[in-house]
Amino acid sequence: MSETAIEFRNIAKSFGPVKANHNISFAVPRGSIHAIVGENGAGKSTAMKILFGLYQPDEGRFFIRGKEVQFNSPMDAMAEGVGMVHQHFMLAGSLTALDNILLMQKGSPFQRLPRKEQKQKLEELAKRYGMILNLESKVEDLSVGEQQRLEILKILSQDSEIIILDEPTAVLTPQEVQDLFKNLRLLKAEGKTILIITHKLKEVIAISDNVTVFRTGTVVANRKTAEVQSDSLAELMVGRLLQKNEERKTAIDDKVLLSLTNVSANIGNRKLQNVNLQIRAKEIVGVAGVEGNGQDVLMRVLLDRHSLKKGCWSGDIQQKGSLESFPEDRLRFGVLPTKTAVENFILGHHRRTPFYKNGFISDSAALAETEKAMKEFDVRPLKPRQTFSQFSGGNQQKLVVARALWPNPDIVIAAQPTRGVDIGAIEFIHGKLRAQRDQGSGVLLISSELDELMTLADRIVVIYHGELIKEFTRAEFNEIALGAAMGGCR
């Protein structure tokens, strides 16, 4: 029998009246890759944060290599060989890769660490695990894939035997995903234990040895991955069969709703170069690309072109009809997290009927429209007065999507519409985007998820270093070719 690296026994954790974890029990064999899956709010992240010492359990016990432990902080967890790579990287962009690792080292104060010896040690470690990286490069100059390798190197430099990865492939190209999986298999062969929190079931099947399924705060299944399929995992996660994708029943209209001609821009250190693109009624046009290749500039030009400084952009943009959008990062650009659901729902619409009457916002109208939208978009719990930050990620995103689609716009810019949300919320949001398309809207879908683009889009353009370098019709969709184009292959 293989040695157990981690064991949870009857772990419980509540936040006020909300039971995030209830009677969580499962074990992870040493030297295995173990997937943790579940909908948003299912409790999987809470359990992993307990393991990493960010939270302390209210009840229950957990064990590391057979020894009962109690972590009061991440420092306690790291001392026991547990490391975590968060979904949003914890890196200082203005410092070098080497400096970011040295900041985590035990022992001497940062300025007294022997940089030359540490660099040599880290280069040997990187070579050993196939994570080649220029340690003297500033983090802000590294690709997303390189930043992730840096995060993993930080953990390995601490002699961690247990590595937790939170949504590790969320911003990687298919090639970078394969590189990551190759590195994880090397770590597994060295005896490391790896836990992956993910919603990508295809990747669960491809990389993991075992999978634990969370639902509504409890563990509903522990399976050997070889014995399950993605459909059965999805059913365990959401408690029902997911609907099959339907072929579209409407034809693309000839009417051009949004047209970009020779559009170039230079905002900060990001650029667009000579972009030409059209979006028609009843059409979803996908924009594929690794993050940081100009998608944010494209959004800025489309949404803020009238307020940008003269000279920031050039070219011609023609728009026919109303336009709404939801941003790539809802918490940074789309909402006020400390305000209520109703306040966030009317944000940007607060001077429109029925919210605005005689110079004042009608609280009753705002509440009624928010409740209606929350019911239609299945936002849970149905509490318009609840603070936005208290909703799970999937329900936050559904509320953001509901706000954008509420006025039935002619044009929708959907940036990363399902980032960080669970499979049930993904299915729901995809259905709403299809319905909006079928009603006559044109949709510009900006996503780093190739599966999402290939599922929804009628055609896909690839952006690389601010330039649209390739276009694929639906009949030409191919993950390998799209991934290669995202890496710059024309």
Side-chain angles (χ1 to χ4, degrees):
M1 182 180 290
S2 62
E3 179 188 346
T4 298
I6 307 156
E7 184 181 1
F8 286 76
R9 291 186 191 173
N10 305 314
I11 291 290
K13 179 68 178 176
S14 296
F15 299 94
V18 178
K19 290 185 177 181
N21 284 160
H22 176 65
N23 198 31
I24 299 296
S25 296
F26 69 96
V28 179
R30 180 182 179 276
S32 68
I33 300 176
H34 196 104
I36 308 292
V37 301
E39 292 193 276
N40 282 93
K44 57 188 187 297
S45 292
T46 299
M48 293 303 101
K49 287 177 180 178
I50 288 173
L51 176 60
F52 190 53
L54 288 166
Y55 298 149
Q56 287 71 52
D58 299 329
E59 299 175 19
R61 302 181 294 166
F62 67 96
F63 301 77
I64 302 294
R65 294 181 289 276
K67 181 180 77 172
E68 183 172 358
V69 292
Q70 184 174 353
F71 298 153
N72 294 312
S73 72
M75 297 302 292
D76 292 343
M78 287 188 282
E80 287 290 338
V82 179
M84 185 170 185
V85 177
H86 299 271
Q87 182 177 356
H88 302 288
F89 302 148
M90 305 293 187
L91 298 170
S94 60
L95 298 181
T96 66
L98 177 61
D99 289 339
N100 271 270
I101 296 177
L102 295 184
L103 283 168
M104 292 288 293
Q105 297 302 300
K106 306 168 186 173
S108 303
F110 171 59
Q111 63 269 27
R112 296 182 184 176
L113 284 169
R115 293 177 62 85
K116 184 176 179 180
E117 292 84 347
Q118 288 287 332
K119 182 181 178 184
Q120 183 178 352
K121 175 186 174 183
L122 290 166
E123 285 176 340
E124 290 172 357
L125 190 66
K127 184 177 180 180
R128 176 180 174 186
Y129 291 110
M131 298 186 186
I132 305 305
L133 193 66
N134 183 353
L135 293 173
E136 296 298 340
S137 293
K138 286 188 176 182
V139 166
E140 61 194 11
D141 296 327
L142 299 177
S143 71
V144 176
E146 288 172 326
Q147 290 182 29
Q148 186 179 70
R149 290 199 288 275
L150 173 58
E151 285 280 27
I152 296 174
L153 272 178
K154 277 169 57 179
I155 290 174
L156 294 175
S157 71
Q158 299 289 310
D159 299 319
S160 297
E161 292 295 318
I162 297 168
I163 302 171
I164 307 166
L165 301 172
D166 189 0
E167 298 287 355
T169 65
V171 292
L172 303 183
T173 67
Q175 283 78 6
E176 287 173 326
V177 171
Q178 293 308 311
D179 289 342
L180 171 65
F181 285 1
K182 180 181 177 181
N183 292 335
L184 294 183
R185 291 185 181 105
L186 283 173
L187 292 171
K188 172 187 166 182
E190 291 271 339
K192 308 288 187 185
T193 304
I194 301 162
L195 293 96
I196 300 178
I197 308 170
T198 184
H199 68 274
K200 297 183 179 181
L201 300 186
K202 184 170 69 173
E203 294 177 0
V204 170
I205 301 297
I207 190 65
S208 69
D209 302 299
N210 303 283
V211 56
T212 296
V213 183
F214 280 66
R215 190 168 77 229
T216 60
T218 63
V219 171
V220 296
N222 280 297
R223 299 280 193 274
K224 290 186 180 297
T225 307
E227 297 173 356
V228 297
Q229 296 180 333
S230 56
D231 288 349
S232 60
L233 277 179
E235 186 178 354
L236 285 167
M237 285 170 59
V238 302
R240 59 179 173 82
L241 286 170
L242 294 179
Q243 296 178 355
K244 298 292 184 182
N245 291 328
E246 294 183 4
E247 290 297 320
R248 63 176 299 156
K249 297 182 175 65
T250 57
I252 297 172
D253 202 305
D254 290 333
K255 181 181 179 182
V256 176
L257 297 175
L258 186 64
S259 175
L260 290 77
T261 305
N262 299 325
V263 173
S264 296
N266 191 340
I267 302 174
N269 60 348
R270 306 289 195 196
K271 293 183 180 181
L272 279 186
Q273 302 181 63
N274 201 37
V275 169
N276 292 278
L277 185 64
Q278 290 185 335
I279 294 118
R280 294 174 173 80
K282 298 188 177 182
E283 180 183 37
I284 298 178
V285 178
V287 179
V290 178
E291 284 192 52
N293 274 280
Q295 298 94 322
D296 53 345
V297 181
L298 179 61
M299 287 275 290
R300 284 285 306 278
V301 169
L302 288 173
L303 298 177
D304 302 332
R305 59 187 183 275
H306 301 300
S307 59
L308 286 172
K309 290 181 180 179
K310 189 176 181 180
C312 281
W313 73 280
S314 62
D316 181 62
I317 299 175
Q318 296 294 323
Q319 175 184 324
K320 294 181 180 178
S322 60
L323 184 151
E324 294 288 341
S325 69
F326 31 99
E328 59 185 335
D329 188 330
R330 59 181 174 269
L331 295 179
R332 285 182 64 199
F333 304 121
V335 299
L336 302 172
T338 60
K339 299 298 182 181
T340 64
V342 65
E343 289 172 307
N344 276 285
F345 182 74
I346 68 170
L347 195 63
H349 301 316
H350 52 281
R351 292 190 180 275
R352 295 184 180 182
T353 304
F355 308 130
Y356 193 68
K357 293 181 180 179
N358 302 319
F360 295 94
I361 292 174
S362 169
D363 183 70
S364 60
L367 186 64
E369 287 296 319
T370 304
E371 283 186 346
K372 180 181 175 182
M374 290 177 77
K375 287 178 182 176
E376 181 183 345
F377 282 76
D378 193 30
V379 179
R380 305 176 193 176
L382 184 57
K383 294 182 178 179
R385 301 290 191 194
Q386 180 168 298
T387 302
F388 186 87
S389 61
Q390 293 178 328
F391 290 90
S392 71
N395 285 297
Q396 289 180 0
Q397 186 67 3
K398 284 193 282 188
L399 190 61
V400 169
V401 174
R403 182 182 65 194
L405 300 186
W406 171 77
N408 192 26
D410 299 293
I411 304 161
V412 178
I413 301 178
Q416 312 296 350
T418 60
R419 166 167 293 166
V421 306
D422 57 72
I423 192 167
I426 290 171
E427 176 196 40
F428 190 91
I429 292 169
H430 284 182
K432 287 297 182 183
L433 287 174
R434 287 193 187 95
Q436 194 67 33
R437 172 204 66 192
D438 291 343
Q439 290 175 25
S441 297
V443 179
L444 182 65
L445 173 63
I446 302 172
S447 179
S448 57
E449 300 277 1
L450 273 186
D451 284 347
E452 179 166 71
L453 290 165
M454 294 170 69
T455 296
L456 291 177
D458 298 296
R459 56 191 171 97
I460 297 173
V461 295
V462 178
I463 190 168
Y464 182 74
H465 289 179
E467 184 182 356
L468 299 187
I469 64 169
K470 207 158 188 177
E471 179 174 324
F472 296 81
T473 64
R474 190 161 185 82
E476 297 170 330
F477 287 179
N478 177 285
E479 187 172 290
I480 295 174
L482 279 162
M486 288 167 67
C489 295
R490 295 175 182 266

